Amino acid sequence: MGSPRFWSWAALVAGLLYFFLPLVGMFEFSLRARRGEYSFQAYTNVLSDPQFRETFMYSVVVALFTIVLGVLIVAPTAFWVRLKLPKLRPVIEFITLLPLVIPPIVIVFGYIRLYNTSSWLPLTGTAMGTNILLTFGYSVLALPYMYRAVDTGLRTIDVATLTEAAQSMGASWFTIITKLILPNILSAILSGAFLTFAIVIGEYVFAALLNRPGFGPYMVWMGGNKAYEPAALAVIAFGITWACMGVIQLATRLSKHNRVQR
Amino acid sequence: MTDATLAAPAPEPVEVQAPRPRPSRAAALPLKWLGVAPFMLFALLFLIMPTIHIVLGAFQTPEGAFTLRNLQGLAVPQVVRPFMLSIKISVLTAGLGCLFGLILAAAVTKGGLPGWIRDAMLTFSGVASNFAGVPLAFAFIATLGRLGLVTVILKEVFGINLAATGFNLISFLGLTLTYLYFQIPLMILIITPALDGLKREWREAAEILGASGSQYWRMVALPVLWPSLLGTFALLFANSFGAVATAMALTGSSLSIVPIILFAQIRGDVLQDPHLGYAIAFGMIVITGIANLVYIVLRTRAEKWIK
Amino acid sequence: MAFLKIEHLEKSFGSTRVVKDFDLEIQKGEFISLLGPSGCGKTTVLRMVAGFETPSSGAIVIDDKDVVALRPNQRNIGMVFQAYALFPNLTVGENVAFGLKIKGVGKDEREARVKEMLTMIGLPDLGNRYPFQLSGGQQQRVALARALAIQPHVLLLDEPLSALDAKIRVSLRTQIREIQRELQITTIFVTHDQEEALSISDRIVVMNGGVAEQVGAPFEIYNRPATRFVAQFVGTLNLIEADVIAPESGTVRIGTTEISLGRPLKPGRVTLACRPEAVSLGLAEGRPLVLHAEIGEVHFLGAVIRVQARAGRTQLSLDTFNRPDTPPPAAGDKVQVSISPADLLVLEA
């Protein structure tokens, strides 16, 4: 038996190979659009495609609405549960974990049947209604991540004590929320927001089954019809994911920095 | 010894229902609960009710009467085979994801590698675990597909014809290889904190008592990690079982796994029986539900040494 | 012939030398304490004996065998850690049996031995409990039983009491010493608590900055500290500044009082030191050094009364026994205190 360090390096190298080869392969492939030379032709093709711009913008807008909706639903709830209903926490936590257990395709299947044109809430009847339904659906998909992020943020500050202290000094609820709680969990909310963005931007199943012109269905369509453009799309998607995670890292680091200073 | 008595089981604390003034309680309750009402409404409308609708639909005729016919309809080869294939892929990718993820996480946390590698690994895992779906499939096609980078290099540099070895990306093996790309990082993200929870003293105590490294892992570390491992396995299983986009973009619909069958069914073709779709969806819930139930049962058994 | 020999032991982490030329010989069955402030290298020495750290140079010989090249699991050493490192997934009985199981001891023998060990530590009925169900003191006793179950050559104790409550700390250290005596096991005990070291050791090694400052029996360490560090680290010490007025006869002046110490001194200023119990209230036979002092704080500790007094610029701490017929002095009292020159230590700078 060699030293543990040797095996650690061996595992690491194997891991690097597995994780980097597809990235390299994807990038290399995306450069092959012109025969015999490497070029950014595939990227040019993609970026000049009006369909790309439309679907991408559509997904960005839906992602932004999803983030706002998610924050509005999750943050007050997590705060309220920590403050007033700690007994309810297991229940809320269980609900927020359900989207990890129930396959997304089942959830969207339920939407289609529950909110169809002949139902009591015919959301799928209009384009706007379907957009709203999609946004709510994405909020459900992002729920586990958003809730975890915010709840972790709340855990690092002692919500109950802080609130009581502020109340004893005569602070109003508005002041407590805007001056005390929000600044303290801002980085957590940002983390949740960018994670949500990363999940929503390329999502396929919901958008496809609800017939919305999202970036995910566009990518699949490209995959079926073009050779090199899909690889370019994958590189772009990977870049977006990286950027989102980078911002999350930055946000956490900044908040840690703040906390130490305090 | 004075402190020996401390370990004697303390009498069970008796729940005393404090007699509270009724009116104030009645007034306080709804107000408190109002705070979670938006969340509950949201969860009910967009998570719970749709799911229940599917479950009920699985037991109903198109006219709304109770029936078991839909479930019986599952017992045909073109449904059973995809279920078996999906379960096989999910178990395999969850198992391998756990295994490789654990090895990598252990290497960077306990293997004596420089600290920055650990941070880099965690950051990358955050990215890779979210780099699923359509783009991931494209990346693998670009790498191991017919014209992919690795395929080409293997052929031109090493003279190995990947296709001739029987490898096909659009296959069970190919899908497994692709799924692992997000399963392993997910495992790393979840198991790293658990590995950090392993105290150095446990290892040293085991070592000085004569244990080898593998004995320590078998007798102490793995049992301690077991609940986390089980939990992650269940999560990875569900993660893989419900994945549609990756498989769809990778294989079109040539590989019959359950989510792809259901996808086609929802789009309104293939099986020509709308309520069979409910039954398939219900079957998916049951499978992931069972996976989590097994996890919960095993966890309570494995955690008897935790408060 | 020493049972455990440490010769010229050195350890560096990067460019920091944490243990410097450390030598120690321990007889079979001896109880040795390594005493020193945190960062003095005592734990590193212990960890090198255990095998968790590799010495930069030097030898560690146990029972005539150099163990430096051996891995911890080949050394047959028992060790108790500071943060009761019981395996949380195993019961008390399984924890104690762990080492035996590794060694391949049969089930019946294992069970008998576990029972014997649990009885020895006074917890015969807790074999089926899990560590989280035990108090800190109980966990540490189980850890001791686990370490001793494999009948090691040497027992290492790494600050085993520092995480415990004061009362349990005292009772447990007594128990550790009793068990150690009974088994006649060679023991190294690391602590930063001088009272602990003084109370249970055969000999103490006082360490500072990676160096053994003094090795000796508790009585010796306390009464005849070899260096200024030892004098100040072990016990409470009164420091008295004095001017040497006649170096060859050892006569010094303290404030306005002159006294001969009866041993030659270097000329100039000198720092004298004495223990609180060497200072008496009032005049006494054989204590010719008399200082006029004013009483400050009076701490009634029970059998002992610790009195703070000020004599000119010198702050004195003195201990007197409680006598029911004489009330203790009160703050502000003007008193005379007397010291025997023989009790004065001369500290080198």
Side-chain angles (χ1 to χ4, degrees):
Chain A
M1 193 185 123
S3 81
R5 190 170 304 182
F6 168 79
W7 289 110
S8 299
W9 280 111
L12 190 68
V13 169
L16 284 180
L17 220 56
Y18 173 72
F19 283 106
F20 278 100
L21 272 181
L23 300 181
V24 176
M26 150 180 104
F27 185 63
E28 194 265 352
F29 205 80
S30 73
L31 300 179
R32 284 197 215 162
R34 277 193 208 150
R35 192 169 287 274
E37 59 166 336
Y38 282 144
S39 73
F40 287 98
Q41 186 62 47
Y43 295 87
T44 322
N45 294 349
V46 164
L47 292 174
S48 60
D49 182 356
Q51 277 245 39
F52 166 78
R53 269 175 279 163
E54 274 162 36
T55 56
F56 190 75
M57 281 322 291
Y58 177 84
S59 283
V60 168
V61 171
V62 172
L64 292 180
F65 275 105
T66 303
I67 288 166
V68 172
L69 182 67
V71 171
L72 284 181
I73 289 171
V74 166
T77 307
F79 170 69
W80 194 252
V81 167
R82 279 217 171 248
L83 190 65
K84 297 276 180 183
L85 295 164
K87 271 192 208 148
L88 204 62
R89 251 193 68 183
V91 179
I92 302 282
E93 247 168 36
F94 176 77
I95 293 175
T96 60
L97 287 177
L98 278 180
L100 294 181
V101 179
I102 303 170
I105 190 169
V106 173
I107 297 174
V108 73
F109 188 24
Y111 288 179
I112 293 169
R113 293 302 158 113
L114 204 54
Y115 302 118
N116 62 27
T117 41
S118 56
S119 74
W120 61 281
L121 189 62
L123 282 174
T124 55
T126 60
M128 190 38 78
T130 317
N131 289 342
I132 291 170
L133 186 58
L134 185 65
T135 309
F136 274 95
Y138 282 165
S139 301
V140 168
L141 287 190
L143 188 61
Y145 308 98
M146 190 59 109
Y147 188 85
R148 277 274 300 274
V150 173
D151 198 51
T152 313
L154 286 172
R155 189 167 50 208
T156 53
I157 58 171
D158 188 347
V159 174
T161 317
L162 267 183
T163 311
E164 268 167 33
Q167 276 180 323
S168 74
M169 287 184 277
S172 71
W173 274 109
F174 182 77
T175 318
I176 292 172
I177 304 267
T178 54
K179 292 268 163 69
L180 204 62
I181 305 299
L182 269 186
N184 273 303
I185 59 167
L186 195 64
S187 75
I189 289 182
L190 275 178
S191 299
F194 279 96
L195 204 53
T196 304
F197 191 87
I199 293 167
V200 169
I201 194 74
E203 202 283 337
Y204 172 68
V205 178
F206 270 60
L209 287 178
L210 290 175
N211 271 321
R212 294 285 73 207
F215 187 48
Y218 170 74
M219 282 197 287
V220 170
W221 182 84
M222 285 294 264
N225 293 287
K226 297 281 167 84
Y228 304 106
E229 283 76 0
L233 283 173
V235 171
I236 293 170
F238 187 73
I240 292 168
T241 313
W242 251 117
C244 289
M245 296 302 135
V247 174
I248 290 173
Q249 288 264 319
L250 211 65
T252 355
R253 209 162 291 166
L254 282 180
S255 80
K256 266 186 200 142
H257 185 61
N258 279 341
R259 225 161 264 142
V260 171
Q261 277 185 335
R262 213 173 299 133
Chain B
M1 273 296 123
T2 48
D3 55 339
T5 51
L6 288 176
E12 285 287 318
V14 184
E15 278 289 340
V16 181
Q17 203 71 41
R20 282 201 211 165
R22 269 189 150 264
S24 83
R25 201 183 162 156
L29 252 176
L31 216 69
K32 247 204 223 174
W33 289 83
L34 219 55
V36 290
F39 175 84
M40 287 302 184
L41 191 68
F42 164 75
L44 209 62
L45 277 180
F46 297 101
L47 178 60
I48 296 167
M49 269 174 45
T51 311
I52 289 177
H53 184 82
I54 298 289
V55 173
L56 292 181
F59 293 94
Q60 280 171 347
T61 62
E63 291 72 41
F66 175 82
T67 180
L68 287 174
R69 280 259 305 284
N70 302 324
L71 294 190
Q72 284 162 359
L74 292 179
V76 293
Q78 61 262 48
V79 178
V80 171
R81 229 180 291 124
F83 262 101
M84 293 318 289
L85 188 62
S86 267
I87 291 173
K88 235 163 74 182
I89 285 187
S90 304
V91 167
L92 191 67
T93 61
L96 291 179
C98 280
L99 180 68
F100 294 138
L102 178 65
I103 290 174
L104 280 173
V108 293
T109 53
K110 305 271 163 191
L113 300 182
W116 63 266
I117 291 186
R118 172 204 153 99
D119 294 341
M121 172 82 91
L122 285 178
T123 307
F124 180 79
S125 296
V127 177
S129 64
N130 283 297
F131 185 60
V134 186
L136 176 65
F138 292 164
F140 268 83
I141 291 169
T143 308
L144 286 167
R146 252 181 341 102
L147 292 169
L149 180 67
V150 170
T151 316
V152 170
I153 288 179
L154 281 179
K155 191 189 268 169
E156 289 179 0
V157 181
F158 299 98
I160 302 169
N161 186 351
L162 208 53
T165 62
F167 178 83
N168 180 5
L169 191 59
I170 308 171
S171 69
F172 181 77
L173 182 64
L175 202 58
T176 304
L177 211 55
T178 312
Y179 278 11
L180 283 177
Y181 201 87
F182 56 81
Q183 299 280 57
I184 294 174
L186 197 54
M187 174 68 177
I188 292 175
L189 285 182
I190 298 174
I191 208 69
T192 299
L195 282 170
D196 288 336
L198 292 177
K199 290 192 193 150
R200 187 181 71 172
E201 284 91 347
W202 293 340
R203 194 193 174 110
E204 290 178 349
E207 232 180 329
I208 202 101
L209 287 167
S212 65
S214 60
Q215 278 169 323
Y216 158 73
W217 275 95
R218 193 162 47 78
M219 295 166 79
V220 181
L222 282 179
V224 169
L225 290 175
W226 195 235
S228 315
L229 289 174
L230 281 175
T232 320
F233 182 87
L235 184 68
L236 294 192
F237 178 89
N239 198 23
S240 154
F241 194 77
V244 186
T246 314
M248 200 93 156
L250 194 69
T251 69
S253 43
S254 64
L255 200 67
S256 289
I257 56 174
V258 185
I260 288 186
I261 297 287
L262 182 59
F263 190 93
Q265 173 68 15
I266 296 171
R267 277 265 162 108
D269 33 17
V270 286
L271 297 168
Q272 282 130 33
D273 180 357
H275 275 251
L276 192 56
Y278 286 129
I280 293 174
F282 174 67
M284 289 183 77
I285 298 175
V286 168
I287 301 271
T288 52
I290 287 175
N292 279 276
L293 212 65
V294 169
Y295 155 60
I296 289 166
V297 171
L298 287 177
R299 186 188 175 109
T300 28
R301 278 233 236 126
E303 272 189 344
K304 57 180 191 278
W305 46 272
I306 294 174
K307 270 165 273 196
Chain C
M1 185 62 211
F3 181 70
L4 194 161
K5 255 197 313 199
I6 300 174
E7 289 166 340
H8 306 295
L9 195 65
E10 293 262 352
K11 179 69 183 175
S12 303
F13 292 112
S15 58
T16 335
R17 284 169 78 203
V18 286
V19 175
K20 298 168 196 164
D21 199 18
F22 186 89
D23 284 291
L24 184 63
E25 294 204 349
I26 304 176
Q27 302 303 318
K28 195 164 175 57
E30 212 179 358
F31 194 114
I32 295 279
S33 290
L34 302 184
L35 173 66
S38 57
C40 71
K42 56 189 192 301
T43 298
T44 311
V45 169
L46 195 77
R47 291 175 61 80
M48 285 192 279
V49 175
F52 298 136
E53 309 282 357
T54 314
S56 304
S57 66
I60 299 168
V61 180
I62 300 176
D63 203 8
D64 282 334
K65 239 180 20 208
D66 191 337
V67 297
V68 166
L70 296 183
R71 297 183 50 75
N73 55 10
Q74 300 164 322
R75 293 192 183 192
N76 197 24
I77 284 176
M79 183 156 173
V80 177
F81 297 82
Q82 179 174 352
Y84 358 102
L86 294 182
F87 305 128
N89 58 318
L90 303 179
T91 62
V92 166
E94 289 165 344
N95 262 285
V96 176
F98 188 90
L100 301 170
K101 207 169 165 186
I102 299 277
K103 273 188 174 174
V105 174
K107 190 160 183 276
D108 294 342
E109 198 187 332
R110 226 158 57 207
E111 274 168 11
R113 184 116 185 93
V114 167
K115 210 169 154 202
E116 180 192 335
M117 297 315 292
L118 291 181
T119 310
M120 182 187 77
I121 57 163
L123 303 173
D125 304 322
L126 298 190
N128 291 322
R129 297 279 177 87
Y130 282 96
F132 80 89
Q133 296 167 304
L134 268 51
S135 71
Q138 290 172 329
Q139 289 195 42
Q140 207 53 303
R141 279 187 276 161
V142 174
L144 182 67
R146 181 178 68 179
L148 290 172
I150 55 169
Q151 295 175 305
H153 289 318
V154 179
L155 177 64
L156 305 179
L157 307 167
D158 186 7
E159 307 228 13
L161 305 173
S162 57
L164 302 174
D165 294 341
K167 223 170 192 167
I168 295 167
R169 208 145 62 200
V170 172
S171 70
L172 186 51
R173 84 181 179 213
T174 314
Q175 202 187 4
I176 288 177
R177 179 58 158 152
E178 280 168 11
I179 291 171
Q180 184 270 338
R181 250 193 246 280
E182 196 183 304
L183 301 178
Q184 282 297 304
I185 183 164
T186 313
T187 302
I188 306 179
F189 176 80
V190 160
T191 181
H192 61 269
D193 183 330
Q194 40 106 4
E195 188 198 318
E196 238 166 64
L198 290 171
S199 67
I200 58 172
S201 315
D202 289 320
R203 283 190 299 151
I204 296 173
V205 181
V206 184
M207 290 186 68
N208 183 36
V211 173
E213 296 253 340
Q214 188 177 4
V215 183
F219 182 84
E220 214 178 315
I221 297 274
Y222 187 81
N223 292 310
R224 290 194 290 280
T227 66
R228 194 188 182 104
F229 174 81
V230 176
Q232 284 178 307
F233 189 75
V234 180
T236 313
L237 208 62
N238 291 307
L239 297 180
I240 305 167
E241 297 294 326
D243 293 311
V244 180
I245 48 177
E248 56 291 342
S249 70
T251 306
V252 297
R253 184 166 56 217
I254 303 163
T256 54
T257 318
E258 287 180 16
I259 187 107
S260 166
L261 299 185
R263 49 203 140 141
L265 294 170
K266 283 186 214 135
R269 278 186 83 76
V270 71
T271 304
L272 304 174
C274 66
R275 299 290 181 194
E277 62 270 26
V279 184
S280 300
L281 267 182
L283 304 174
E285 186 80 12
R287 294 173 182 267
L289 172 56
V290 176
L291 299 170
H292 293 271
E294 187 183 325
I295 302 291
E297 294 286 324
V298 177
H299 297 284
F300 188 79
L301 306 175
V304 172
I305 303 168
R306 175 155 292 182
V307 180
Q308 306 290 334
R310 172 178 289 278
R313 284 180 294 115
T314 308
Q315 186 70 42
L316 288 173
S317 204
L318 57 100
D319 286 355
T320 63
F321 281 111
N322 172 35
R323 265 169 304 184
D325 49 343
T326 24
D333 287 0
K334 299 268 194 287
V335 294
Q336 289 179 311
V337 298
S338 53
I339 303 167
S340 160
D343 289 337
L344 284 172
L345 305 165
V346 179
L347 298 184
E348 279 132 42

